[in-house]
Amino acid sequence: MKAQVFLFSFIFCSFVTQKSLFSQNKVENFWKKERIAQANTAQNAAYLTANEKQVIFFLNLARLDPVGFAKNIEKVWKADSKNEFGQTNNLGQNKWFQSLLKDLQNTKPMTALQPNEALSGVAKKHATEMGKIGQIGHKSPDGTTFDKRIRKALPQAGFISENCDYGNSNPLDIVMSLLVDQDVPSLGHRKNILNPVYKRIGVGIQPHKKYQTNTVMDFAD
C-alpha cells in the first residue's frame, strides 16, 4: 500500500525549433529485435497516433538500456540528424549532450513505460488547448494545474510529473530535446524520463499556433 505522504509533482517545458528527419528504417541497424520488441509497449494502443507510439518507443529504449542507448543514439544522430545537437561537428562540443551521455552511462536499466489511456487523454487535451491559443506551460487555459488534471484521471496516483516540448514534430527529436535538456540547469526533463519510479505514461502531440507542434508527456507511478 502506497503511503500518501510520498506525493511529488515535477513540471518542465522545453523549446527546440530546429527539426531532424530520423530514418525509421535504420532503427534495426542499432538495436536488436528483442530490445525493439521490449521497447514497443505502445504498439497496440489504438488511442495513440504513430508518432505518439514512437515517442514512447524511444523513451523506453533509453530506460531499458541506458548504456546501449548512449552508444547507439550518438551514432544515429551523427549519421541522420539535422538538429543542431546531431551535427557531427557539434556533438563533441555540446556540454549538454555530453552530460546526457555521461548520465546514461551511469544509469541502471529500468522497466519500460506502459502507455495509459487516461494519462494520454489528459496529455492530449492539454496539448490541444494550449496549441489552439498558442500558449505554453502547465496550467490549462482555465487555470487548472497539471497535478489536478492527472489526479482527476488517476485518483490513486502517487508520484506524477509532466514534460512539455515545443517546436519538434519528429518523435526522436522530441525525446532527444527533453533528454539533452539544453539550458535547463535542473535537467528536470531528463530526470523525469530516467526516473525508475514511473511506470505509466500518456503522450499527446498536437498542432501549436506559435510553435507548430507541442508535445505533452504525463508520467505516473
Side-chain angles (χ1 to χ4, degrees), residues 20-200:
S20 71
L21 296 175
F22 177 71
S23 301
Q24 297 295 337
N25 61 356
K26 292 190 176 182
V27 171
E28 292 186 358
N29 292 339
F30 297 97
W31 286 278
K32 294 181 179 180
K33 291 183 179 180
E34 293 79 4
R35 182 68 72 202
I36 291 174
Q38 289 177 327
N40 205 10
T41 59
Q43 181 178 14
N44 298 317
Y47 52 87
L48 295 173
T49 66
N51 279 351
E52 290 163 353
K53 292 178 181 180
Q54 281 290 297
V55 165
I56 295 175
F57 171 75
F58 284 117
L59 292 174
N60 282 337
L61 282 181
R63 289 169 60 93
L64 288 165
D65 183 14
V67 174
F69 189 84
K71 177 182 178 181
N72 291 328
I73 205 61
E74 186 168 8
K75 293 177 183 178
V76 171
W77 267 37
K78 282 185 177 181
D80 296 283
S81 183
K82 297 184 184 301
N83 185 287
E84 63 178 312
F85 300 123
Q87 297 302 316
T88 302
N89 62 346
N90 284 341
L91 281 178
Q93 301 172 17
N94 189 287
K95 67 177 184 179
W96 302 94
F97 184 80
Q98 292 303 314
S99 76
L100 169 62
L101 296 185
K102 183 177 180 180
D103 280 353
L104 287 168
Q105 290 162 358
N106 289 289
T107 298
K108 295 180 179 180
M110 63 196 77
T111 58
L113 293 165
Q114 299 296 322
N116 181 273
E117 187 169 4
L119 282 175
S120 290
V122 173
K124 287 187 179 184
K125 182 179 180 181
H126 186 58
T128 299
E129 291 179 343
M130 300 302 275
K132 286 182 178 179
I133 62 176
Q135 295 296 313
I136 63 172
H138 301 277
K139 282 189 176 181
S140 300
D142 65 1
T144 303
T145 57
F146 92 97
D147 56 311
K148 290 184 179 179
R149 295 195 305 270
I150 293 177
R151 296 198 190 287
K152 183 178 181 180
L154 292 178
Q156 301 304 316
F159 290 88
I160 61 174
S161 65
E162 179 171 272
N163 285 351
C164 296
D165 179 76
Y166 303 90
N168 288 305
S169 58
N170 178 274
L172 180 61
D173 287 334
I174 292 167
V175 172
M176 291 307 296
S177 168
L178 296 167
L179 279 172
V180 172
D181 235 1
Q182 179 156 319
D183 298 324
V184 180
S186 68
L187 300 176
H189 304 98
R190 184 187 305 176
K191 291 177 181 177
N192 281 345
I193 293 170
L194 298 177
N195 190 336
V197 74
Y198 296 125
K199 303 295 190 296
R200 296 174 287 178

